[in-house]
Amino acid sequence: MEDFEKKVSIKDSMEIEQENSNCSKRNEILNLLRKFLEIQQRRAQAYSKLKTGFSEYMKSGGELAYQQLCSEITVEFNDCSKQVLEMESLFLNPDYCRVDLAELLRAIQTQEKQKLHLVLKKAGCPSERLMNHENCSFKKPMEHECVHLQEITEAAGTEEAELNAEYDNALKEAIRGVQDAVTAINEHLEEVRYEIAALETE
């Protein structure tokens, strides 16, 4: 009878240890997924900053400030990607064995890369920048001779119209691509939120 009690006692302590281990892993996974959502928030803020900076660039033509912003945003996106790749690697680790979550993060990373590429493509036409009239000569207040005016020939006008049409089509395609990427990312993020909710109720 004493041997039986020892075996039951050992079995109970092993079950408790396993339960504690499972609870610890569940909490670690929860923390990783929450951290991932924070990283996605940082990405959203970086996109917002890029959009604001691009608008300022289009108005003022401050190319140096815009290049500096682009460098900062690139560093931010690289840092976010690096952290997500580390999480993906952890989920593939036998300690976690959550290939499903690793694949989910990989899908989001792929869509984020596509989105960034398309956003940069969309922002890529400097000819749309508003003109700065600092170098124009003013004869009377509110009237000036614009240095931006040039003789437009029919051939130059046709070429410019074709380039503008090509750019407009590329822009529309990029916008559709960004919208598709954002939709896919949001669907994947919803899956992450569902996983968090499921882990919290276990």
Side-chain angles (χ1 to χ4, degrees):
M1 186 74 167
E2 196 175 299
D3 284 342
F4 176 73
E5 286 177 10
K6 281 183 185 178
K7 286 181 183 177
V8 169
S9 173
I10 291 172
K11 187 177 179 183
D12 287 345
S13 65
M14 287 175 62
E15 286 175 358
I16 290 170
E17 222 173 271
Q18 182 63 38
E19 202 172 292
N20 287 341
S21 175
N22 289 344
C23 185
S24 175
K25 285 209 187 341
R26 183 175 63 241
N27 287 337
E28 289 173 27
I29 291 170
L30 267 169
N31 289 335
L32 285 170
L33 291 175
R34 288 180 181 133
K35 185 177 177 188
F36 173 73
L37 291 179
E38 289 171 12
I39 291 169
Q40 285 302 111
Q41 187 62 36
R42 281 178 45 205
R43 281 180 169 156
Q45 290 167 347
Y47 277 117
S48 178
K49 205 171 166 183
L50 181 63
K51 182 180 178 183
T52 301
F54 183 71
S55 294
E56 287 299 313
Y57 166 68
M58 294 296 275
K59 289 176 189 169
S60 69
E63 198 156 329
L64 189 60
Y66 184 65
Q67 287 176 350
Q68 176 64 33
L69 174 65
C70 287
S71 293
E72 292 170 15
I73 297 297
T74 299
V75 168
E76 180 71 9
F77 281 127
N78 284 338
D79 184 52
C80 289
S81 291
K82 181 181 170 188
Q83 289 182 42
V84 173
L85 289 172
E86 289 171 5
M87 288 178 193
E88 182 183 340
S89 177
L90 283 173
F91 285 133
L92 290 171
N93 186 308
D95 287 343
Y96 293 97
C97 201
R98 290 298 305 264
V99 176
D100 60 328
L101 294 178
E103 288 173 352
L104 183 58
L105 296 188
R106 168 65 27 217
I108 293 171
Q109 283 287 91
T110 301
Q111 290 298 320
E112 284 290 353
K113 185 177 179 181
Q114 177 72 7
K115 177 183 170 186
L116 181 59
H117 171 75
L118 291 169
V119 164
L120 294 177
K121 181 178 176 181
K122 184 176 116 178
C125 186
S127 65
E128 288 225 328
R129 182 173 53 212
L130 298 177
M131 290 182 195
N132 183 337
H133 296 281
E134 287 177 359
N135 298 323
C136 298
S137 60
F138 291 83
K139 292 183 178 177
K140 298 179 188 175
M142 305 300 283
E143 286 185 31
H144 72 280
E145 287 184 32
C146 187
V147 296
H148 299 101
L149 291 179
Q150 50 186 304
E151 185 177 327
I152 298 176
T153 64
E154 186 177 335
T158 303
E159 182 181 340
E160 187 175 337
E162 287 172 355
L163 288 173
N164 285 341
E166 187 177 311
Y167 174 74
D168 287 344
N169 288 336
L171 180 62
K172 286 176 187 172
E173 183 181 320
I175 289 170
R176 273 193 305 274
V178 168
Q179 289 169 340
D180 291 345
V182 167
T183 299
I185 290 166
N186 287 338
E187 288 171 357
H188 292 312
L189 289 175
E190 198 59 34
E191 290 179 55
V192 170
R193 289 184 191 97
Y194 286 144
E195 184 65 32
I196 289 171
L199 288 168
E200 288 174 336
T201 58
E202 280 183 8

